[in-house]
């Protein structure tokens, strides 16, 4: 067990790490989609550390042009579902991705771009301050 966290929190982090593996290193679209949902809908009693770690993985998925556009959109939707709990880092990742719209970049697909813009609108206070672009 890691020092400073409870066994329950450690178990939640293990779920995040397993979902990260499926999302970023997997080749099965179904597993990748399930991972976005797992990370974006944490258990009810998850701590802020667990939620933020999940949001960081989702933010990383946004930047990966090798992932399917639908998976990137799902990652954006999951960040938006987390809302303010996702934090400024996730809000910044959404805004940064939205600006990358040239061919071959993250938001070159209008479907993804529309989803990113909608998700930013649902982030609440997280898009203020250091998370704002």
């Amino acid at each position: 067990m890691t020092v400073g966290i409870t066994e329950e929190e450690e178990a939640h982090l293990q779920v995040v790490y397993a979902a990260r593996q499926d999302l970023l290193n997997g080749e099965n679209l179904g597993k990748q989609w399930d991972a976005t949902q797992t990370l974006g809908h944490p258990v009810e009693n998850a701590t802020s550390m667990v939620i933020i770690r999940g949001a960081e993985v989702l933010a990383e998925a946004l930047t990966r042009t090798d992932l399917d556009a639908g998976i990137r959109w799902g990652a954006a939707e999951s960040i938006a579902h987390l809302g303010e709990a996702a934090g400024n880092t996730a809000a910044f990742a959404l805004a940064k991705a939205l600006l990358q719209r040239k061919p071959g970049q993250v938001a070159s697909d209008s479907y993804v771009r529309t989803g990113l813009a909608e998700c930013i609108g649902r982030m609440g206070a997280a898009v203020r301050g250091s998370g704002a672009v």
Side-chain angles (χ1 to χ4, degrees):
M1 185 167 119
T2 307
V3 177
I5 64 173
T6 66
E7 287 183 26
E8 185 177 24
E9 198 171 43
E10 180 77 26
H12 293 165
L13 285 172
Q14 290 303 318
V15 170
V16 169
Y17 298 143
R20 180 187 191 283
Q21 183 70 21
D22 287 344
L23 177 57
L24 301 177
N25 300 326
E27 295 182 13
N28 180 313
L29 287 177
K31 280 190 169 188
Q32 288 176 314
W33 181 260
D34 289 346
T36 65
Q37 299 307 297
T38 298
L39 294 168
H41 300 81
V43 293
E44 195 171 302
N45 59 348
T47 63
S48 61
M49 180 181 72
V50 171
I51 293 170
I52 289 172
R53 291 271 169 87
E56 288 170 352
V57 173
L58 292 165
E60 184 179 348
L62 283 176
T63 66
R64 298 271 304 269
T65 56
D66 61 318
L67 293 178
D68 182 76
I71 298 300
R72 292 195 313 269
W73 178 82
E77 280 288 313
S78 290
I79 289 172
H81 183 266
L82 293 172
E84 293 178 26
N88 284 350
T89 302
F92 181 73
L94 285 169
K96 186 176 176 184
L98 184 60
L99 295 172
Q100 298 178 26
R101 54 183 179 243
K102 293 179 184 170
Q105 290 183 321
V106 174
S108 61
D109 185 306
S110 62
Y111 173 71
V112 173
R113 218 171 25 258
T114 301
L116 290 169
E118 177 193 349
C119 293
I120 288 171
R122 294 185 354 212
M123 288 294 293
V127 297
R128 294 187 195 113
S130 63
V133 173

